[in-house]
Amino acid sequence: MIKVLVVGKGGREHAIITALQQSPSETKIYSFPGSDAIFEIAEEVDAQDLPSLINFMKAKEIDLCVAGEESYLVKDNGLANECEKAGIPCWGPQKQSAQLEASKEFAKQFMVRHEIPTGGYASVDDVDAAVEAIGGKYPTVLKFDGLAAGKGVAVCLDEASAMEFIDEVLGQRKFGEGRLLVEEFLAGPEISIFASVVDDQYQILAPARDYKRISDADEGPNTGGMGAVSSLEMFEGDLRRQIEETIVKPTVEGLIKDGLPYRGFLYFGLILTDEGPKILEYNCRFGDPEAQAVLPMIKGDFAKYVFEGAKGNLQPDLIEFSDGWSVCLVSASAGYPASSRSGDTISGIGELDGAVIYHAGTRLDGEGRFETAGGRVYAIVAQGATLQSAVAQVYEQSDKVSFSGMQRRSDIGVLHF
Ligand code: GLY
């Protein structure tokens, strides 16, 4: 039996834990900090911080730690570093390698050093320098140089929106201390690529696209992600080979050259420009909500795959991806993304048939019913042989589940690029 502890509490972690639990290998799964929905399939952990989490893992003789979310990878001495000291295999990179996500400047320097295609940039720490770096050229991309739960990036079409974001980052310090990156705007469709990286080995997984804006037609403010689609068919023509040769392989070689240990999922946020794929960002974990679309398509022994990978044996044959398409539709609470309303009762979950639900911002009320407790509330995910059939199924099923003030997009999967 594999005793696994998964770190995180959102929809991605609910999907990871579900995939581990459904694996043929026998597992006992623990979740930290977890959620009421996750605790229906995983045990709660008695810990408050990284040191007590490590102590818990030692006491319970945990075989495998899986970093669902990124924050603990760079907290204190780093989750994976502490796991290594305790002799616990960890699926998630060490702190020094997780800087690829935690510091946008570190990531840009890495890309430039290893000649991985990306847009030009400048790193600044005051308003005047930011204005000078933009040089009156719009659109421009502004990024807070630190972890901001997917919200520290703004594509600014004009000076007014740029000044507003610069003030949030450098004036109000909305995301905490950190520099601002001014990046070249790259035009083209976006694609999320995931690889399992184990030292100098890697396996590219099914690609996905996420939908970041709150409203249809990619309008309105950015969110943590309102939906996602995934299919191996998104690797049209020569795209997979191109991405592997120009982005994935040089990244893994760069990690080795720089002495950055890496075992875990590595996420490449790419833009397909006229000059070929270019990288926007790395994330040192699976994407959310992409994980909710990708993971239900995995067949094979995912638990053993991750366990072996964390021990240094990447075994690609342990998993494969279903043909067809997977579509994930997120429902968000009233007020999201500016705020979020809690306490709205969710009805109809038990009526889902041919779709799965992954909880993100929910909790149980006093009567044992799920209610809203966060911005993105849950994701409903369905598969189909074609994109159209998967989209039809996900919307048909999602219509059964609702709560007051629910917001969701009506065009997830309609436009996949
Ligand atoms: N899908 C975007 C993210 O996980 O950051």
Side-chain angles (χ1 to χ4, degrees):
M1 184 176 54
I2 311 170
K3 285 200 228 167
V4 195
L5 187 146
V6 178
V7 178
K9 62 180 181 331
R12 168 186 47 212
E13 287 73 32
H14 199 189
I16 290 174
I17 289 172
T18 304
L20 290 168
Q21 191 218 18
Q22 290 174 351
S23 298
S25 283
E26 200 189 334
T27 53
K28 176 160 180 62
I29 306 174
Y30 295 84
S31 161
F32 172 80
S35 67
D36 287 342
I38 288 176
F39 297 143
E40 291 184 342
I41 51 170
E43 268 195 39
E44 200 167 346
V45 169
D46 180 18
Q48 302 72 42
D49 51 18
L50 187 51
S52 56
L53 183 61
I54 298 290
N55 284 340
F56 178 92
M57 285 197 263
K58 284 202 241 174
K60 293 283 181 191
E61 298 181 333
I62 296 293
D63 300 303
L64 166 69
C65 176
V66 176
E69 64 161 67
E70 60 279 15
S71 66
Y72 277 85
L73 294 171
V74 292
K75 221 170 241 174
D76 305 332
N77 294 328
L79 175 67
N81 310 59
E82 290 295 339
C83 282
E84 186 176 49
K85 268 198 238 155
I88 302 163
C90 180
W91 189 244
Q94 296 203 355
K95 184 173 181 173
Q96 58 276 33
S97 315
Q99 296 308 314
L100 280 183
E101 172 167 5
S103 166
K104 306 295 172 208
E105 188 167 13
F106 179 94
K108 277 288 188 187
Q109 289 168 345
F110 178 93
M111 294 170 208
V112 171
R113 185 160 63 247
H114 299 295
E115 297 179 4
I116 300 164
T118 189
Y121 78 103
S123 163
V124 300
D125 64 0
D126 66 68
V127 177
D128 291 344
V131 171
E132 193 184 326
I134 294 170
K137 269 175 60 186
Y138 294 96
T140 187
V141 181
L142 303 179
K143 284 186 187 166
F144 167 65
D145 190 19
L147 295 180
K151 299 189 187 115
V153 179
V155 178
C156 301
L157 301 180
D158 52 33
E159 190 179 338
S161 57
M163 293 312 293
E164 196 178 317
F165 190 75
I166 291 168
D167 181 54
E168 283 176 11
V169 175
L170 299 175
Q172 303 165 37
R173 296 280 173 195
K174 194 170 157 187
F175 307 106
E177 288 304 310
R179 293 168 73 85
L180 178 81
L181 258 59
V182 177
E183 294 190 6
E184 179 189 353
F185 173 77
L186 299 172
E190 285 187 32
I191 186 167
S192 304
I193 300 296
F194 305 98
S196 297
V197 176
V198 176
D199 310 327
D200 60 346
Q201 309 289 304
Y202 61 84
Q203 178 182 13
I204 297 175
L205 309 177
R209 188 225 144 148
D210 71 346
Y211 295 74
K212 294 196 176 76
R213 304 289 183 129
I214 187 78
S215 305
D216 284 1
D218 283 335
E219 287 187 351
N222 260 339
T223 69
M226 294 300 291
V229 297
S230 174
S231 171
L232 288 171
E233 289 176 35
M234 290 171 72
F235 281 138
E236 283 162 1
D238 195 33
L239 187 58
R240 189 188 183 290
R241 190 202 58 79
Q242 239 187 323
I243 290 172
E244 176 168 4
E245 288 307 315
T246 62
I247 311 259
V248 180
K249 201 157 169 265
T251 297
V252 175
E253 287 170 357
L255 289 169
I256 297 290
K257 278 186 205 149
D258 290 355
L260 294 170
Y262 205 108
R263 287 182 190 166
F265 295 122
L266 180 54
Y267 163 161
F268 306 76
L270 304 187
I271 191 138
L272 305 176
T273 74
D274 290 343
E275 297 163 359
K278 293 194 179 182
I279 181 157
L280 293 173
E281 63 175 5
Y282 292 111
N283 289 314
C284 297
R285 38 122 186 130
F286 224 106
D288 186 336
E290 292 98 319
Q292 292 89 308
V294 174
L295 293 175
M297 293 204 300
I298 289 189
K299 296 186 288 187
D301 197 337
F302 181 64
K304 186 163 185 216
Y305 173 81
V306 173
F307 188 36
E308 289 301 322
K311 290 189 290 179
N313 315 312
L314 181 66
Q315 295 190 18
D317 293 345
L318 283 174
I319 59 164
E320 59 177 321
F321 290 90
S322 310
D323 292 333
W325 289 80
S326 183
V327 178
C328 158
L329 175 62
V330 169
S331 289
S333 66
Y336 185 72
S339 62
S340 64
R341 195 168 77 195
S342 295
D344 291 307
T345 301
I346 303 163
S347 64
I349 294 176
E351 285 162 43
L352 287 173
D353 179 20
V356 288
I357 181 165
Y358 298 119
H359 292 243
T362 72
R363 66 182 174 217
L364 285 172
D365 67 11
E367 289 164 44
R369 295 170 309 189
F370 280 107
E371 63 178 21
T372 62
R376 289 185 299 159
V377 177
Y378 54 76
I380 291 176
V381 185
Q383 284 79 46
T386 62
L387 178 58
Q388 291 71 19
S389 64
V391 169
Q393 174 73 353
V394 88
Y395 277 99
E396 189 187 314
Q397 294 299 317
S398 292
D399 284 345
K400 298 175 178 175
V401 187
S402 64
F403 54 89
S404 170
M406 183 177 88
Q407 303 186 72
R408 65 175 209 203
R409 282 181 58 162
S410 67
D411 64 349
I412 302 298
V414 174
L415 239 180
H416 77 276
F417 268 139

